[in-house]
Amino acid sequence: MDDRHAIFDSMEPDPLDREQVIEGDPQTYDLQLSESAEGSEVSGFWMCTPGVFSDTEMEESFVVIHGSAEVEMADGKRLVLGPGDTHSFSAGEKTVWKVNATLLKCYWARP
């Protein structure tokens, strides 16, 4: 059984930097739906296959559509994410993502 959401075929690869990958071979994809005229705000879908990686977040809010993940923050707090869960990151937050089942989220961000 394929663990990917049906929207996958519309998404473009958006690879992680090799130094971000901690475990496994997580593959990331993006489908940008909109961008403000000045380019300061974007929205779309982002997907990641199972694996563990580090990230420095941009200002972003999202809702999980499919899959599951755990996110550990630099301060030790941990999020457990699944369908319907929402969260907002502040720009510059340091995180470690453990994607357990291919994760699809809809996001709004300020890059």
Side-chain angles (χ1 to χ4, degrees):
M1 179 176 175
D2 194 342
D3 190 32
R4 301 179 307 185
H5 190 276
I7 199 168
F8 176 79
D9 293 332
S10 300
M11 302 183 83
E12 296 291 328
D14 184 27
L16 297 166
D17 292 332
R18 284 190 176 274
E19 58 271 6
Q20 288 179 269
V21 177
I22 297 168
E23 183 180 308
D25 185 26
Q27 301 295 307
T28 54
Y29 303 85
D30 187 69
L31 175 61
Q32 187 172 307
L33 298 176
S34 67
E35 181 175 351
S36 63
E38 66 281 349
S40 63
E41 298 177 3
V42 295
S43 65
F45 290 100
W46 180 87
M47 185 165 49
C48 183
T49 63
V52 181
F53 64 94
S54 64
D55 201 14
T56 301
E57 304 297 338
M58 65 180 87
E59 182 181 349
E60 174 190 13
S61 295
F62 64 86
V63 61
V64 175
I65 306 297
H66 178 83
S68 65
E70 299 169 33
V71 182
E72 187 172 331
M73 316 297 203
D75 65 5
K77 290 181 185 172
R78 205 173 114 208
L79 300 172
V80 177
L81 299 171
D85 290 332
T86 63
H87 186 71
S88 295
F89 286 116
S90 298
E93 282 188 80
K94 305 284 187 197
T95 58
V96 173
W97 288 72
K98 179 182 179 187
V99 177
N100 300 309
T102 299
L103 187 78
L104 175 67
K105 66 180 182 176
C106 182
Y107 67 86
W108 167 86
R110 290 185 174 163

